[in-house]
Amino acid sequence: MASLDLRNIEKGYGPVSVIKGIDLHVDEGEFVALVGPSGCGKSTILRMIAGLEDITGGEIAIGDQVVNDLTPRERNIAMVFQSYALYPHMTVSRNMSFNLELSGKPKAEIAKRVANAARMLELEPLLDRKPSQLSGGQRQRVAMGRAIVRDPSVFLFDEPLSNLDAKLRVQMRGEIKALHKKVGVTSIYVTHDQVEAMTLADRVVVLDKGVIQQSGTPMELYRHPANVFVAGFIGSPSMNFLDASIVGPGQAKTPEGVVFDFVPGGAVSVGQAVIIGLRPEHLLLDGPGTVIEGDVDYVEPTGGQTFVNLQIGGRAITVVVSGAVDVDAGSRLSVRAGREQVHVFDAASGNRVSA
């Protein structure tokens, strides 16, 4: 187990720069998730850490050792892929032991490591089966077992759950989290699914266009997104946005004349164009706060929650209501936004200006 440092990491393909000076420190034993839309550079960063992709500039250090010039095997990392990458002709046991055999480990040590990993991942009844005889979740556990037996300094996960169905993804998220608590290895987890990142990681790093937009605990990103991009990416359903302008201290007004009170957190001036951010789950049908009226476009009942989609001044917003709500498409609905739940961003830069 070791810490990981990325120091001004850059990656370019000819004139195209895809990673633009990334600095990131990961503590020993920390679980960090890299999230962002397709093409943001998260998988490229993972492959550079693994040594599968050359870096254009900067340094990668595992522990105290700069590993830029080391091969993937010499870096002592273990990677779990989206495709599992199991050997189809080998049993579960052999899949887990094969890399140890290639590295010349003693047979007794190999057997002990495989037995420990199999017990940890509840694979003991499956050791004599081949991958074709396993479910998707079982194959993913074998892939993790193969990584565990190597006793790596760093675990790298490349969207390991994307091939699983929704129910199994939830189950495997829990297993990965429990596994990290047991093993405690420094882990970097790449995913496009922000819910997955929020539930698994100690810290989430949000990337866009090869640049870190914000790094923090899941709740720091949820409660205090640094800019419009992070605000819209973190949270499900996504944050609602409304155009507005500053009309006074802690007040912003939309073109429709709705005045929002917010907690100031940065320098703003009267007339400044801003963007109001409202999380769907923070909009209430009653209570204190700014009143917003809109026409119900459509309603999505999900059982425990109901998603009500409104049209406000030509802008669609979503409201999440606990349980069922008796509203019909075309009806008029009023919701309220509390002062502390109103996020405000500068329209020009996209950066946060509320507390």
Side-chain angles (χ1 to χ4, degrees):
M1 186 166 61
S3 61
L4 173 70
D5 283 284
L6 309 183
R7 301 168 186 150
N8 197 29
I9 293 299
E10 297 179 354
K11 177 64 179 179
Y13 298 97
V16 180
S17 177
V18 294
I19 303 297
K20 304 168 185 176
I22 294 290
D23 287 298
L24 180 66
H25 173 76
V26 181
D27 287 332
E28 185 175 311
E30 189 178 14
F31 194 124
V32 171
L34 307 182
V35 299
S38 296
C40 72
K42 55 189 184 295
S43 290
T44 300
I45 292 172
L46 202 74
R47 291 176 62 81
M48 289 194 294
I49 295 170
L52 302 174
E53 193 88 52
D54 293 331
I55 66 173
T56 304
E59 286 185 342
I60 298 175
I62 298 176
D64 297 326
Q65 184 177 24
V66 176
V67 299
N68 290 26
D69 299 324
L70 300 185
T71 66
R73 183 175 294 277
E74 291 170 331
R75 297 184 186 203
N76 193 29
I77 55 92
M79 195 162 181
V80 178
F81 295 93
Q82 173 181 342
S83 61
Y84 317 135
L86 302 177
Y87 299 110
H89 61 290
M90 293 183 182
T91 63
V92 168
S93 178
R94 190 82 197 287
N95 262 285
M96 293 168 66
S97 67
F98 187 61
N99 284 331
L100 297 179
E101 294 169 14
L102 290 179
S103 62
K105 298 291 183 185
K107 288 185 177 180
E109 182 180 347
I110 292 173
K112 181 180 179 180
R113 290 193 188 187
V114 170
N116 287 341
R119 182 172 59 254
M120 189 181 301
L121 295 166
E122 299 180 2
L123 290 171
E124 291 167 304
L126 309 176
L127 289 175
D128 294 326
R129 295 189 190 179
K130 292 184 177 178
S132 61
Q133 299 170 301
L134 304 177
S135 68
Q138 290 168 338
R139 291 179 197 177
Q140 191 56 267
R141 288 211 300 270
V142 175
M144 289 191 287
R146 184 176 55 189
I148 290 169
V149 298
R150 294 183 58 186
D151 192 21
S153 298
V154 178
F155 267 134
L156 303 178
F157 294 90
D158 188 11
E159 303 207 38
L161 308 184
S162 60
N163 286 337
L164 305 179
D165 62 50
K167 183 177 180 181
L168 194 50
R169 279 203 303 272
V170 174
Q171 177 187 331
M172 290 303 297
R173 281 206 311 255
E175 292 187 11
I176 290 174
K177 191 157 191 171
L179 173 65
H180 182 258
K181 285 186 177 180
K182 290 178 185 176
V183 180
V185 175
T186 308
S187 299
I188 310 296
Y189 190 102
V190 161
T191 179
H192 65 276
D193 185 336
Q194 50 93 13
V195 174
E196 203 169 280
M198 297 273 287
T199 54
L200 279 172
D202 301 319
R203 181 158 52 106
V204 177
V205 178
V206 182
L207 293 148
D208 186 42
K209 298 176 183 176
V211 175
I212 292 177
Q213 297 294 319
Q214 190 174 358
S215 173
T217 67
M219 292 314 296
E220 283 173 351
L221 269 60
Y222 177 81
R223 290 172 177 157
H224 300 284
N227 54 44
V228 170
F229 178 83
V230 176
F233 192 83
I234 297 295
S236 181
S238 297
M239 183 180 283
N240 301 299
F241 295 113
L242 298 172
D243 295 326
S245 59
I246 298 298
V247 293
Q251 288 190 320
K253 185 178 181 180
T254 71
E256 295 75 39
V258 180
V259 177
F260 287 89
D261 293 319
F262 67 93
V263 181
V268 293
S269 57
V270 172
Q272 179 178 338
V274 294
I275 297 171
I276 300 291
L278 305 167
R279 293 211 178 275
E281 59 274 25
H282 292 160
L283 293 172
L284 305 174
L285 297 181
D286 53 30
T290 300
V291 178
I292 315 163
E293 290 188 344
D295 297 314
V296 177
D297 200 2
Y298 56 97
V299 179
E300 299 175 278
T302 66
Q305 295 178 319
T306 301
F307 296 173
V308 182
N309 297 275
L310 304 176
Q311 287 288 332
I312 297 177
R315 179 67 66 91
I317 73 166
T318 301
V319 179
V320 174
V321 180
S322 179
V325 59
D326 187 20
V327 294
D328 298 316
S331 61
R332 192 80 170 162
L333 186 67
S334 295
V335 294
R336 296 173 184 268
R339 179 172 179 262
E340 292 76 15
Q341 308 295 352
V342 176
H343 304 261
V344 183
F345 307 92
D346 175 59
S349 67
N351 293 330
R352 184 183 189 89
V353 294
S354 59

